[in-house]
Amino acid sequence: MDEYIEPDFSSAALITIDTQKDVLDGQPFEIPGTTAVLPQMQTLLQGFRKHSRPIVHIVRIYKKDGSNVDLCRRKAVIQGAQIVIENTPGCELADELLGSLSVLLDYQKLLSGSIQKVSTNEVIIYKPRWGAFHQTPLDAYLKRLHVSTLIFIGCNYPNCPRTSIYQASERDYKIVLVEDAVSGLYPIGLTEMKNIGVILMKSSGVLARILS
């Protein structure tokens, strides 16, 4: 494999994208396929926790007045759409991501741009737009941990995972997209990722490398 894109699992962080209750099956902001990939996400999270590896949960939080909402969704939120609205149950992380942890989003801290600590190696970061690096402390946080490789899982490849991966590539991170732990992945998306040097793996393969 090309040494410049080959993942270094000894300095890897797991990044979950927008896997919040409102996007699950039957919820107001349902993203097809997200509930289906929760078991694989959960398994990866358990493996990273067991080996004290970094985990970052990226979340969307919309203010009730719509002031921080993407323009394409702002009208809907202003008119009352209940999608990842601050201080609502649907905005919280999916239960499967937390396992035995009991964590609620600290909305004030997150919306101010600060990092919410979940445990020694696990944090939550709010992103105001599609990409996880846009106006967030993510890059600085990862650099403090000397992370070289990012492993992406989560909700809706065409939007936030895809944008976040391109942003990570622009910052010279080595990147893995876990095919069976991300919703919304389409065939041409696999080609898009390969074309920018992203390594495609299954969750079992990633877990094997983390555990080795």
Side-chain angles (χ1 to χ4, degrees):
M1 184 181 290
D2 185 338
E3 63 186 285
Y4 292 104
I5 62 172
E6 183 175 5
D8 180 356
F9 289 93
S10 68
S11 63
L14 184 65
I15 312 293
T16 79
I17 303 289
D18 295 354
T19 310
Q20 296 161 257
K21 292 181 179 180
D22 270 346
V23 307
L24 302 180
D25 288 357
Q27 300 307 309
F29 200 21
E30 178 182 342
I31 304 296
T34 303
T35 294
V37 300
L38 284 175
Q40 294 88 281
M41 294 183 68
Q42 188 175 46
T43 298
L44 286 166
L45 286 160
Q46 290 170 347
F48 269 72
R49 288 179 184 130
K50 182 178 179 179
H51 288 78
S52 301
R53 301 295 185 86
I55 296 169
V56 181
H57 300 285
I58 303 294
V59 297
R60 299 302 290 274
I61 302 171
Y62 289 160
K63 294 182 179 179
K64 295 176 183 178
D65 63 4
S67 60
N68 72 331
V69 178
D70 322 75
L71 293 181
C72 64
R73 295 174 180 159
R74 189 168 297 181
K75 183 176 181 179
V77 171
I78 289 173
Q79 291 179 342
Q82 294 296 300
I83 51 176
V84 292
I85 300 295
E86 62 179 324
N87 294 305
T88 65
C91 195
E92 298 293 335
L93 288 169
D95 292 336
E96 289 82 354
L97 269 61
L98 296 171
S100 62
L101 299 172
S102 179
V103 179
L104 295 176
L105 300 184
D106 184 333
Y107 294 97
Q108 184 174 357
K109 173 175 280 191
L110 291 167
L111 287 168
S112 73
S114 296
I115 296 173
Q116 179 180 349
K117 188 174 181 179
V118 174
S119 64
T120 303
N121 302 294
E122 191 166 348
V123 300
I124 304 170
I125 292 175
Y126 154 75
K127 63 177 175 57
R129 289 295 181 266
W130 310 114
F133 290 88
H134 177 70
Q135 296 182 3
T136 76
L138 178 60
D139 192 37
Y141 175 75
L142 295 171
K143 282 182 167 54
R144 286 199 300 272
L145 297 181
H146 305 290
V147 168
S148 71
T149 299
L150 302 183
I151 300 171
F152 283 92
I153 61 177
C155 177
N156 208 19
Y157 167 78
N159 296 347
C160 300
R162 183 172 181 270
T163 303
S164 300
I165 287 169
Y166 274 94
Q167 291 177 338
S169 178
E170 290 172 342
R171 289 160 176 81
D172 290 338
Y173 287 98
K174 298 176 178 183
I175 302 166
V176 173
L177 176 62
V178 187
E179 298 177 62
D180 59 344
V182 62
S183 60
L185 184 58
Y186 44 81
I188 198 171
L190 301 175
T191 302
E192 292 171 346
M193 294 293 96
K194 290 176 183 177
N195 286 344
I196 64 166
V198 173
I199 305 302
L200 301 167
M201 296 182 69
K202 301 291 187 181
S203 54
S204 58
V206 172
L207 194 60
R209 294 295 302 272
I210 293 299
L211 298 178
S212 62

